[in-house]
Amino acid sequence: MIKKEHFSIVIIGNMNPMIHHPSWYNYREIITNEDLELSLKNGSICTPDLSSLNFKNFNINCQINRWDINCSNLNFLNDIINVTAKTFKLLFETPISALGINLNSHILLDQKNIDSVILQSFIKQDFLNELENPASAKILITIPHENFEVNLSVEKSSLYRNHLLINRNFNFILKNLIGAEYKEFNLGDILSSYIAECINISEKLEAKIVGKFV
């Protein structure tokens, strides 16, 4: 199976984009000197409203209400987890309300018209009960779990011909994990505790979906 993958961690809260400069990450020993030089050469942006940093194996974006880090190779997933954990251990006073883990796949299928078969496949599905919009060729479903929910979407890829796009967003409401009263916590512990489960669920969902097109 040929597929292109994309992984990201998203933090929702009150951010200060001006802090998120390549030099800050390097000074705090979160990135290497090589990554610092590469990011500066690649024209990283750092403004009061937005910071966008490009490194060798991952990218970081920060807005006033959102911080995210992403990569396109599962081999770098531990790297972005470590960067996230170190960053917010240092910025522990940042008010954070939600955490998301996203795993997206563009999968090449032997189908000439993916739009026409998506809905037909899911009408006969055996693991999801309710479609948000049965008339659409884009499938949107929310699957609840104990400490998070999975927002699953399936549609024709707009980037690659004859590819199916499967998005899996794992949304964590932090007050459910650490309590309603805000207190200092370690994002690295939360990510390390749940990442294997998220990948396992993600792979099972992907296998069931792709299996309907084989």
Side-chain angles (χ1 to χ4, degrees):
M1 180 173 60
I2 299 175
K3 66 178 179 178
K4 301 174 178 65
E5 297 180 301
H6 184 266
F7 308 92
S8 65
I9 298 170
V10 179
I11 311 295
I12 302 300
N14 295 330
M15 307 294 172
N16 181 357
M18 286 293 288
I19 292 177
H20 298 273
H21 188 279
S23 297
W24 181 85
Y25 284 92
N26 180 253
Y27 176 73
R28 295 296 187 175
E29 299 182 344
I30 299 174
I31 64 168
T32 64
N33 291 335
E34 179 187 3
D35 263 330
L36 172 62
E37 293 177 6
L38 181 64
S39 182
L40 294 175
K41 287 180 181 178
N42 286 343
S44 292
I45 299 171
C46 187
T47 72
D49 297 320
L50 170 69
S51 286
S52 181
L53 317 178
N54 301 314
F55 301 107
K56 182 178 180 181
N57 297 329
F58 55 86
N59 302 310
I60 292 175
N61 299 289
C62 183
Q63 303 175 48
I64 57 174
N65 59 356
R66 171 190 170 109
W67 180 95
D68 70 79
I69 184 170
N70 61 80
C71 66
S72 56
N73 190 317
L74 186 60
N75 293 329
F76 304 135
L77 194 55
N78 284 334
D79 291 341
I80 68 174
I81 290 173
N82 290 334
V83 169
T84 303
K86 291 178 180 178
T87 298
F88 287 94
K89 184 176 182 179
L90 290 167
L91 301 177
F92 65 90
E93 293 180 338
T94 302
I96 297 173
S97 58
L99 164 68
I101 298 174
N102 303 310
L103 298 97
N104 305 329
S105 303
H106 296 264
I107 302 172
L108 178 64
L109 297 177
D110 186 20
Q111 297 282 352
K112 293 182 179 180
N113 189 348
I114 293 176
D115 280 340
S116 67
V117 298
I118 289 179
L119 186 58
Q120 295 173 20
S121 298
F122 276 88
I123 287 176
K124 297 181 179 180
Q125 46 73 28
D126 59 359
F127 64 100
L128 299 168
N129 296 320
E130 187 173 328
L131 303 180
E132 182 174 307
N133 185 356
S136 173
K138 179 177 181 178
I139 309 303
L140 299 169
I141 305 163
T142 298
I143 308 169
H145 286 259
E146 183 177 357
N147 291 315
F148 58 86
E149 64 180 18
V150 185
N151 298 306
L152 171 69
S153 69
V154 184
E155 63 184 306
K156 181 179 180 180
S157 172
S158 61
L159 297 178
Y160 306 104
R161 185 178 181 183
N162 294 333
H163 281 67
L164 186 70
L165 172 59
I166 304 175
N167 294 324
R168 288 133 298 176
N169 162 249
F170 295 81
N171 183 33
F172 296 80
I173 306 301
L174 290 180
K175 68 179 181 180
N176 295 344
L177 297 175
I178 63 175
E181 183 178 348
Y182 183 81
K183 59 182 178 182
E184 185 177 343
F185 60 93
N186 191 321
L187 270 177
D189 291 343
I190 296 175
L191 289 168
S192 298
S193 297
Y194 286 98
I195 191 64
E197 183 179 1
C198 290
I199 291 176
N200 183 49
I201 292 172
S202 179
E203 290 178 345
K204 287 181 177 179
L205 287 172
E206 181 179 295
K208 286 187 176 183
I209 293 167
V210 173
K212 295 179 181 296
F213 293 86
V214 176

